[in-house]
Amino acid sequence: MEGKRRKDQWTPEDDEKLAEIVITAVQNGRTQLEAFAEAAEVLGRTKQACGFRWNKTLRQQYGQMLNSVRKRPKQLMRSHLKLALNSFDELTEAYNELELKYRELQTEHDKVLKWLQQGAVFIEQQQKQQQ
């Protein structure tokens, strides 16, 4: 009877794979439920079985690691948010500078057009006088 094993018994390899999937998912900002669904596909079990195994057995073993990776996404999100805000500020500043340059060029363009129109009128008058 000692050699008899349940068909659906969890192996240490299954436990390690489940823990790896859950920790990686949480570290990447996903939920445990999403991790259980992924683990179910990988391990050939239901997501409920994976969730039960995690909560009943493995959470105690991997709880500290899970808590430490939970903090990382927030830190990453903060740094990404700071970077995005800095980038937005830089883009806003660059846009404002471009808008100012555009207005200056538009003014110059208008001056050149007026000068050309005056030149064309002057040339027409000169031609009429020569005739």
Side-chain angles (χ1 to χ4, degrees), residues 95-119:
Y95 173 80
N96 290 336
E97 288 175 18
L98 285 172
E99 189 174 34
L100 181 63
K101 293 287 184 192
Y102 173 78
R103 287 186 188 142
E104 289 172 3
L105 286 171
Q106 188 67 43
T107 302
E108 278 299 309
H109 178 260
D110 292 343
K111 286 180 184 177
V112 168
L113 281 180
K114 188 175 179 183
W115 180 77
L116 287 171
Q117 288 171 345
Q118 288 173 345

Side-chain angles (χ1 to χ4, degrees), residues 20-35 38 66 68-77 80:
E20 176 189 331
I21 291 170
V22 171
I23 289 168
T24 301
V26 171
Q27 188 173 21
N28 291 329
R30 296 179 19 236
T31 66
Q32 288 182 25
L33 292 175
E34 291 171 315
E38 180 185 339
L66 184 66
S68 72
V69 299
R70 272 193 178 126
K71 293 175 186 173
R72 287 187 206 145
K74 289 179 185 173
Q75 291 167 348
L76 287 175
M77 283 174 41
H80 289 318

Side-chain angles (χ1 to χ4, degrees), residues 24-76:
T24 301
V26 171
Q27 188 173 21
N28 291 329
R30 296 179 19 236
T31 66
Q32 288 182 25
L33 292 175
E34 291 171 315
F36 299 152
E38 180 185 339
E41 287 183 33
V42 171
L43 299 171
R45 297 176 181 270
T46 65
K47 60 185 176 184
Q48 292 83 359
C50 293
F52 183 79
R53 181 67 177 180
W54 173 260
N55 289 317
K56 187 75 174 161
T57 308
L58 300 177
R59 179 181 278 238
Q60 295 161 357
Q61 283 179 270
Y62 294 95
Q64 189 174 7
M65 187 183 299
L66 184 66
N67 287 334
S68 72
V69 299
R70 272 193 178 126
K71 293 175 186 173
R72 287 187 206 145
K74 289 179 185 173
Q75 291 167 348
L76 287 175

